[in-house]
Amino acid sequence: MLHENVRQIAVAFELAGIGTIIIGAIYSTGKYLKHYFNKDPEGYRKYRSGMGNAILLGLELLVAGDIIGTVAVEPTYQNLGVLGLIVLIRTFLSWSLSVEIHGRWPWQENNKDLKE
């Protein structure tokens, strides 16, 4: 019973991650079209940033779902190894997206904020 409830929570996190990416993509595209038709030269940069942030948040929720799901199932060494690999790949993707969006590593100071 408890395992089934935990598994449902894991599925809810995974669905929330997928939904976040889809809704973020739709929202970012809508904002981009608004900027495009208003001839905003920063529109594409804002679009990429919005899309990247939606993907980052979605990946975080998917990782949480994977962790919860692995704990709900028998935590064998094989399952933990697969989970570790999934988390490693998604963390690399998150860091890559963060560098692409912000132009710096996640642990570096944001010089832009310091100047303001």
Side-chain angles (χ1 to χ4, degrees):
M1 176 80 172
L2 179 63
H3 287 292
E4 184 58 34
N5 290 340
V6 173
R7 185 68 197 137
Q8 289 175 352
I9 292 170
V11 170
F13 268 93
E14 291 170 354
L15 290 173
I18 293 167
T20 299
I21 293 171
I22 292 170
I23 291 169
I26 293 169
Y27 179 76
S28 296
T29 302
K31 282 184 72 172
Y32 171 71
L33 291 173
K34 178 182 172 187
H35 290 294
Y36 178 79
F37 290 119
N38 289 335
K39 307 283 191 228
D40 183 3
E42 290 289 310
Y44 181 69
R45 186 192 60 75
K46 292 176 184 177
Y47 178 60
R48 285 182 46 160
S49 178
M51 285 289 290
N53 286 327
I55 293 170
L56 282 173
L57 183 57
L59 282 174
E60 295 296 329
L61 290 167
L62 288 169
V63 167
D66 286 338
I67 292 170
I68 293 169
T70 299
V71 172
V73 180
E74 293 181 39
T76 64
Y77 287 117
Q78 183 178 1
N79 288 344
L80 292 176
V82 170
L83 173 65
L85 186 60
I86 290 170
V87 169
L88 182 69
I89 291 168
R90 289 187 177 165
T91 301
F92 175 76
L93 289 173
S94 294
W95 283 1
S96 298
L97 281 170
S98 182
V99 169
E100 183 72 24
I101 293 168
H102 302 109
R104 60 182 171 79
W105 290 106
W107 55 84
Q108 290 178 320
E109 291 183 12
N110 187 354
N111 294 330
K112 182 179 177 184
D113 290 341
L114 295 175
K115 292 179 184 177
E116 295 182 80

